[in-house]
């Protein structure tokens, strides 16, 4: 069940041990400083890449892991999948700059407890922590209002992923690959995430470039930004 809460920050939270995983050190430190200021008693450990984060998650008893999806060495998807093998009930919160229904479906399968976009207020992290006891997938209010909007038409109306794929004649698999390309994952990581061969991913990428009439990843980003897809 998807839910969002608006809870006062003054509500007391018991002592927690939290692992924050993000390749952007400034953002990682910002989240850590914010939580240190607003939680009564907390121990925070940070990691900037997925493999180190997995080692920490297995060796230590954390109450919560806060991770982004775009990580070096081991992607956020791979990290969560591996953590679930060792700590199936561990609370996991995802912070990311981009999302669509395909990514949400994959994260739901991995049984995460919270999903927050990086552009919202950091106070949403506290709201999500306070709602974890309900064992529900948490969204910030701002993301719920936009979660079905992945593309804006020329008329200013939001189009669904299905409409987007029809416009550019993308297959369901090509849409999945596109979403992971936007997360800046390598062909190898996309292949592992989708359980496909690297050659198959290369073919999908080639077809995506052709259908969207771009020649490289930078041009693809520019087109998606102009279309308000990201």
């Amino acid at each position: 069940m998807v839910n969002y809460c608006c809870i006062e920050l003054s509500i007391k939270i018991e002592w927690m041990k939290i692992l924050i995983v993000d390749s952007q050190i400034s953002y990682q430190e910002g989240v850590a400083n914010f939580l240190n200021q607003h939680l009564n008693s907390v121990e925070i450990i940070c990691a900037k890449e997925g493999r180190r984060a997995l080692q920490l998650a297995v060796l230590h008893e954390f109450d919560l892991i806060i991770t982004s999806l775009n990580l070096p060495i081991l992607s956020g998807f791979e990290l969560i999948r591996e953590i679930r093998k060792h700590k199936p009930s561990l609370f996991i919160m995802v912070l990311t700059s981009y999302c669509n229904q395909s990514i949400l479906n994959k994260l739901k399968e991995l049984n995460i407890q919270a999903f927050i976009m990086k552009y919202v207020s950091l106070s949403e992290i506290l709201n999500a922590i306070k709602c974890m006891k309900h064992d529900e997938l948490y969204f910030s209010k701002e993301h719920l209002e936009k979660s079905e909007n992945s593309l804006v038409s020329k008329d200013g109306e939001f189009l669904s992923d299905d409409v987007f794929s029809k416009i550019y004649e993308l297959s369901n698999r090509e849409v999945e690959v596109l979403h992971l390309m936007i997360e800046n994952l390598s062909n190898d990581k996309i292949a592992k995430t989708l359980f496909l061969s690297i050659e198959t991913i290369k073919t999908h990428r080639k077809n995506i470039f052709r259908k969207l009439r771009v020649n490289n990843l930078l041009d693809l980003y520019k087109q998606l930004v102009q279309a308000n897809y990201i």
Side-chain angles (χ1 to χ4, degrees), residues 11 57 65 72 79 85 88 101 156 158 164 199 216:
I11 293 179
I65 293 180
L79 171 62
K85 294 178 182 179
Q101 195 58 51
F158 288 102
F164 175 76
E199 291 304 316
N216 53 60

Side-chain angles (χ1 to χ4, degrees), residues 29-84:
E29 292 177 347
V31 173
N33 290 337
F34 179 84
L35 294 178
N36 273 317
Q37 291 174 8
H38 290 88
L39 296 183
N40 296 302
S41 183
V42 62
E43 178 183 354
I44 296 177
I45 297 177
C46 296
K48 62 180 181 180
E49 51 95 353
R51 185 171 59 189
R52 176 56 178 163
L54 178 59
Q55 293 172 342
L56 291 170
V58 173
L59 291 174
H60 299 271
E61 292 299 324
F62 289 100
D63 298 291
L64 170 66
I65 293 180
I66 301 175
T67 182
S68 66
L69 296 177
N70 187 14
L71 300 172
I73 302 180
L74 195 68
S75 74
F77 291 104
E78 294 170 315
L79 171 62
I80 296 170
R81 187 177 293 113
E82 291 301 314
I83 288 175
R84 283 289 174 246

Side-chain angles (χ1 to χ4, degrees), residues 211-225:
K211 291 179 179 181
L212 273 68
R213 299 179 181 178
V214 296
N215 297 315
N216 53 60
L217 196 56
L218 179 59
D219 289 340
L220 175 65
Y221 285 157
K222 289 179 179 178
Q223 180 162 323
L224 295 178
V225 169

Side-chain angles (χ1 to χ4, degrees), residues 115-200:
F115 186 97
I116 298 176
M117 302 299 289
K118 285 186 175 180
Y119 60 75
V120 304
S121 168
L122 288 179
S123 63
E124 291 291 349
I125 298 176
L126 293 184
N127 285 346
I129 291 174
K130 294 162 186 172
C131 287
M132 285 192 310
K133 63 181 181 180
H134 299 299
D135 198 24
E136 297 176 345
L137 179 59
Y138 174 95
F139 288 104
S140 62
K141 180 178 179 181
E142 290 86 350
H143 183 61
L144 277 178
E145 293 170 347
K146 300 178 182 179
S147 61
E148 296 180 355
N149 305 329
S150 57
L151 181 67
V152 180
S153 71
K154 292 181 180 179
D155 297 327
E157 295 181 354
F158 288 102
L159 304 179
S160 66
D161 277 348
D162 289 339
V163 175
F164 175 76
S165 62
K166 289 178 181 178
I167 290 175
Y168 291 101
E169 299 182 346
L170 297 176
S171 67
N172 291 337
R173 182 65 78 185
E174 287 168 348
V175 171
E176 288 184 316
V177 172
L178 175 62
H179 294 165
L180 296 175
M181 289 170 63
I182 294 170
E183 284 291 327
N184 201 31
L185 298 188
S186 65
N187 287 340
D188 181 57
K189 288 188 176 181
I190 294 175
K192 290 179 180 178
T193 300
L194 299 179
F195 301 101
L196 299 172
S197 70
I198 294 180
E199 291 304 316
T200 298

